[in-house]
Amino acid sequence: MNKDLLTVNALSPDDIGRILDRSAWLKKTRASGVEYHPLKGKSLGMIFEKSSTRTRVSFEVGMYQLGGQALFLSSQDLQMGRGEPVADTARTLSRYLDGIMIRTYAQSMVEELARHAGIPVINGLTDLHHPCQALTDLFTIQEKRSTLKGLRFCYVGDGNNMAHSLIEACVKMGMHVSLGCPAGYEPDAGIMREAKQVASQTGSELMLTGDPKKAAKDADIVYTDVWASMGQEKEHAQRVKAFSGFEVNDKLMKAAAPDAMVMHCLPAHRGEEISASVIDGPQSVVFDQAENRLHTQKAIMELLMSR
Ligand code: CP
Ligand code: NVA
């Protein structure tokens, strides 16, 4: 595995397999009440430029459960917020910490931080990627279905950070991916191009359509995310219009396999990208996903920070 976790694509299928196996082991160990402290004496810095509930709490609690500690570093309070260069911040923090998790806007900023840090850097979400969530989602799917390869994964909605990391994750593991996105809100063309190349090696089918029903046809998993991501609040009204017809609701779910699982990274907007009946219905696994952030992040931190 590389020093950092910046995108799913930088991981090999073997790396992903190790993260998923370790997530399962850590989940079982925690449930059995056995304490496990491979990161005793280590510290993780968590830099946040955007809001978070799941990422912040699961990293902080996860670090504690692994025997270490986590520091919440609001970018507004850091000198970085007053213009200290990212490279100097990386070099300084590397003298105190054993790992950095960062949630910010530009992927290039996370890459710059990682380049100058002597310690592992974990991407806790950028405008372009959300690898920790996508890896957790693979773990949740594997937990529920005992396999990944050959499953039909459908994503309906905005071709955003979540879509990008999920596309990369699913094709790496040989899942078939169908995307239903409105015109103008498709995933990044470069990410799609690279995913097609990976898909040709892993036997995945990758399909993008403007018809959500076509995307959802016979799907084993139907996934959606918000229409306006963090930083796009001003576009909300315009996006609600553009995404009309893309709600994951009971009607759309009729196109999917009868036992299809419904997934959402949360936070969700009931009545926009997903109906209350679906997200709160029997096919939804959204809170298992939320719980699993803890187990998968512990796996990621253990693999990167105990070396
Ligand atoms: N899914 C997710 O990353 O949630 P938070 O924004 O609450 O961290
Ligand atoms: N696409 C969403 C994901 C939140 C976890 C956002 O970036 O706001």
Side-chain angles (χ1 to χ4, degrees), residues 51-55 103 130 133 265-267 293:
S51 306
S52 171
T53 297
R54 282 144 287 269
T55 304
R103 167 168 286 196
H130 196 1
Q133 180 70 52
C265 58
L266 302 178
R293 290 295 300 279

PDB file of all heavy atoms in Angstrom, residues 51-55 103 130 133 265-267 293, ligand 1:
ATOM      1  N   SER A  51     -18.048  20.780   7.017  1.00  0.00           N
ATOM      2  CA  SER A  51     -18.746  20.133   8.133  1.00  0.00           C
ATOM      3  C   SER A  51     -18.618  18.612   8.065  1.00  0.00           C
ATOM      4  O   SER A  51     -18.330  18.062   7.000  1.00  0.00           O
ATOM      5  CB  SER A  51     -20.237  20.464   8.080  1.00  0.00           C
ATOM      6  OG  SER A  51     -20.422  21.839   8.034  1.00  0.00           O
ATOM      7  N   SER A  52     -18.893  17.960   9.182  1.00  0.00           N
ATOM      8  CA  SER A  52     -18.909  16.494   9.204  1.00  0.00           C
ATOM      9  C   SER A  52     -19.540  15.989  10.484  1.00  0.00           C
ATOM     10  O   SER A  52     -19.317  16.551  11.557  1.00  0.00           O
ATOM     11  CB  SER A  52     -17.480  15.955   9.118  1.00  0.00           C
ATOM     12  OG  SER A  52     -17.484  14.560   9.343  1.00  0.00           O
ATOM     13  N   THR A  53     -20.309  14.929  10.377  1.00  0.00           N
ATOM     14  CA  THR A  53     -20.777  14.190  11.553  1.00  0.00           C
ATOM     15  C   THR A  53     -20.074  12.834  11.594  1.00  0.00           C
ATOM     16  O   THR A  53     -19.306  12.532  12.509  1.00  0.00           O
ATOM     17  CB  THR A  53     -22.303  13.990  11.500  1.00  0.00           C
ATOM     18  OG1 THR A  53     -22.917  15.274  11.536  1.00  0.00           O
ATOM     19  CG2 THR A  53     -22.807  13.150  12.677  1.00  0.00           C
ATOM     20  N   ARG A  54     -20.322  12.014  10.560  1.00  0.00           N
ATOM     21  CA  ARG A  54     -19.802  10.648  10.529  1.00  0.00           C
ATOM     22  C   ARG A  54     -18.275  10.573  10.467  1.00  0.00           C
ATOM     23  O   ARG A  54     -17.646   9.821  11.215  1.00  0.00           O
ATOM     24  CB  ARG A  54     -20.389   9.876   9.324  1.00  0.00           C
ATOM     25  CG  ARG A  54     -21.808   9.402   9.552  1.00  0.00           C
ATOM     26  CD  ARG A  54     -22.611   9.488   8.268  1.00  0.00           C
ATOM     27  NE  ARG A  54     -22.901  10.882   7.989  1.00  0.00           N
ATOM     28  CZ  ARG A  54     -23.997  11.529   8.404  1.00  0.00           C
ATOM     29  NH1 ARG A  54     -24.910  10.861   9.037  1.00  0.00           N
ATOM     30  NH2 ARG A  54     -24.183  12.814   8.161  1.00  0.00           N
ATOM     31  N   THR A  55     -17.689  11.331   9.566  1.00  0.00           N
ATOM     32  CA  THR A  55     -16.242  11.228   9.362  1.00  0.00           C
ATOM     33  C   THR A  55     -15.508  11.671  10.626  1.00  0.00           C
ATOM     34  O   THR A  55     -14.613  10.983  11.114  1.00  0.00           O
ATOM     35  CB  THR A  55     -15.830  12.086   8.148  1.00  0.00           C
ATOM     36  OG1 THR A  55     -16.604  11.640   7.028  1.00  0.00           O
ATOM     37  CG2 THR A  55     -14.359  11.947   7.837  1.00  0.00           C
ATOM     38  N   ARG A 103     -10.344  16.962   5.354  1.00  0.00           N
ATOM     39  CA  ARG A 103     -11.556  17.183   4.544  1.00  0.00           C
ATOM     40  C   ARG A 103     -11.508  18.616   4.041  1.00  0.00           C
ATOM     41  O   ARG A 103     -11.471  19.555   4.829  1.00  0.00           O
ATOM     42  CB  ARG A 103     -12.809  16.953   5.385  1.00  0.00           C
ATOM     43  CG  ARG A 103     -14.063  17.453   4.707  1.00  0.00           C
ATOM     44  CD  ARG A 103     -15.334  16.990   5.383  1.00  0.00           C
ATOM     45  NE  ARG A 103     -15.596  15.587   5.128  1.00  0.00           N
ATOM     46  CZ  ARG A 103     -16.771  14.997   5.322  1.00  0.00           C
ATOM     47  NH1 ARG A 103     -17.799  15.687   5.784  1.00  0.00           N
ATOM     48  NH2 ARG A 103     -16.939  13.716   5.079  1.00  0.00           N
ATOM     49  N   HIS A 130     -14.289  10.774  -2.312  1.00  0.00           N
ATOM     50  CA  HIS A 130     -14.603  10.428  -0.918  1.00  0.00           C
ATOM     51  C   HIS A 130     -14.236   8.952  -0.710  1.00  0.00           C
ATOM     52  O   HIS A 130     -15.101   8.098  -0.531  1.00  0.00           O
ATOM     53  CB  HIS A 130     -16.090  10.681  -0.638  1.00  0.00           C
ATOM     54  CG  HIS A 130     -16.434  10.735   0.827  1.00  0.00           C
ATOM     55  ND1 HIS A 130     -15.494  10.584   1.833  1.00  0.00           N
ATOM     56  CD2 HIS A 130     -17.622  10.930   1.468  1.00  0.00           C
ATOM     57  CE1 HIS A 130     -16.092  10.685   3.010  1.00  0.00           C
ATOM     58  NE2 HIS A 130     -17.381  10.890   2.823  1.00  0.00           N
ATOM     59  N   GLN A 133     -15.522   6.699   2.407  1.00  0.00           N
ATOM     60  CA  GLN A 133     -16.923   6.289   2.327  1.00  0.00           C
ATOM     61  C   GLN A 133     -17.084   5.151   1.319  1.00  0.00           C
ATOM     62  O   GLN A 133     -17.774   4.157   1.587  1.00  0.00           O
ATOM     63  CB  GLN A 133     -17.799   7.479   1.926  1.00  0.00           C
ATOM     64  CG  GLN A 133     -19.280   7.139   1.818  1.00  0.00           C
ATOM     65  CD  GLN A 133     -19.935   6.868   3.153  1.00  0.00           C
ATOM     66  OE1 GLN A 133     -19.838   7.663   4.073  1.00  0.00           O
ATOM     67  NE2 GLN A 133     -20.619   5.729   3.301  1.00  0.00           N
ATOM     68  N   CYS A 265     -24.757   7.734   1.488  1.00  0.00           N
ATOM     69  CA  CYS A 265     -23.643   8.008   2.411  1.00  0.00           C
ATOM     70  C   CYS A 265     -24.080   8.858   3.597  1.00  0.00           C
ATOM     71  O   CYS A 265     -23.405   8.864   4.620  1.00  0.00           O
ATOM     72  CB  CYS A 265     -22.509   8.690   1.658  1.00  0.00           C
ATOM     73  SG  CYS A 265     -23.012  10.235   0.856  1.00  0.00           S
ATOM     74  N   LEU A 266     -25.214   9.581   3.454  1.00  0.00           N
ATOM     75  CA  LEU A 266     -25.718  10.523   4.463  1.00  0.00           C
ATOM     76  C   LEU A 266     -24.759  11.719   4.594  1.00  0.00           C
ATOM     77  O   LEU A 266     -23.566  11.511   4.420  1.00  0.00           O
ATOM     78  CB  LEU A 266     -25.922   9.849   5.823  1.00  0.00           C
ATOM     79  CG  LEU A 266     -26.871   8.638   5.858  1.00  0.00           C
ATOM     80  CD1 LEU A 266     -26.910   8.055   7.274  1.00  0.00           C
ATOM     81  CD2 LEU A 266     -28.282   9.005   5.389  1.00  0.00           C
ATOM     82  N   PRO A 267     -25.225  12.908   4.908  1.00  0.00           N
ATOM     83  CA  PRO A 267     -26.614  13.252   5.220  1.00  0.00           C
ATOM     84  C   PRO A 267     -27.518  13.213   3.985  1.00  0.00           C
ATOM     85  O   PRO A 267     -27.050  13.454   2.876  1.00  0.00           O
ATOM     86  CB  PRO A 267     -26.502  14.684   5.759  1.00  0.00           C
ATOM     87  CG  PRO A 267     -25.273  15.247   5.134  1.00  0.00           C
ATOM     88  CD  PRO A 267     -24.323  14.091   4.986  1.00  0.00           C
ATOM     89  N   ARG A 293     -18.432   2.977   8.841  1.00  0.00           N
ATOM     90  CA  ARG A 293     -17.354   3.970   8.693  1.00  0.00           C
ATOM     91  C   ARG A 293     -16.318   3.762   9.803  1.00  0.00           C
ATOM     92  O   ARG A 293     -15.109   3.851   9.567  1.00  0.00           O
ATOM     93  CB  ARG A 293     -17.909   5.402   8.782  1.00  0.00           C
ATOM     94  CG  ARG A 293     -18.743   5.851   7.618  1.00  0.00           C
ATOM     95  CD  ARG A 293     -17.968   5.949   6.330  1.00  0.00           C
ATOM     96  NE  ARG A 293     -16.863   6.892   6.379  1.00  0.00           N
ATOM     97  CZ  ARG A 293     -16.959   8.214   6.237  1.00  0.00           C
ATOM     98  NH1 ARG A 293     -18.140   8.756   6.002  1.00  0.00           N
ATOM     99  NH2 ARG A 293     -15.897   8.990   6.283  1.00  0.00           N
TER     100      ARG A 293
HETATM  101  N1   CP B   1     -20.902  10.366   4.834  1.00  0.00           N
HETATM  102  C1   CP B   1     -20.136  11.317   5.411  1.00  0.00           C
HETATM  103  O1   CP B   1     -18.961  11.516   5.074  1.00  0.00           O
HETATM  104  O2   CP B   1     -20.755  11.975   6.423  1.00  0.00           O
HETATM  105  P1   CP B   1     -20.228  13.287   7.164  1.00  0.00           P
HETATM  106  O3   CP B   1     -20.262  14.418   6.173  1.00  0.00           O
HETATM  107  O4   CP B   1     -21.183  13.478   8.299  1.00  0.00           O
HETATM  108  O5   CP B   1     -18.823  13.043   7.639  1.00  0.00           O
END
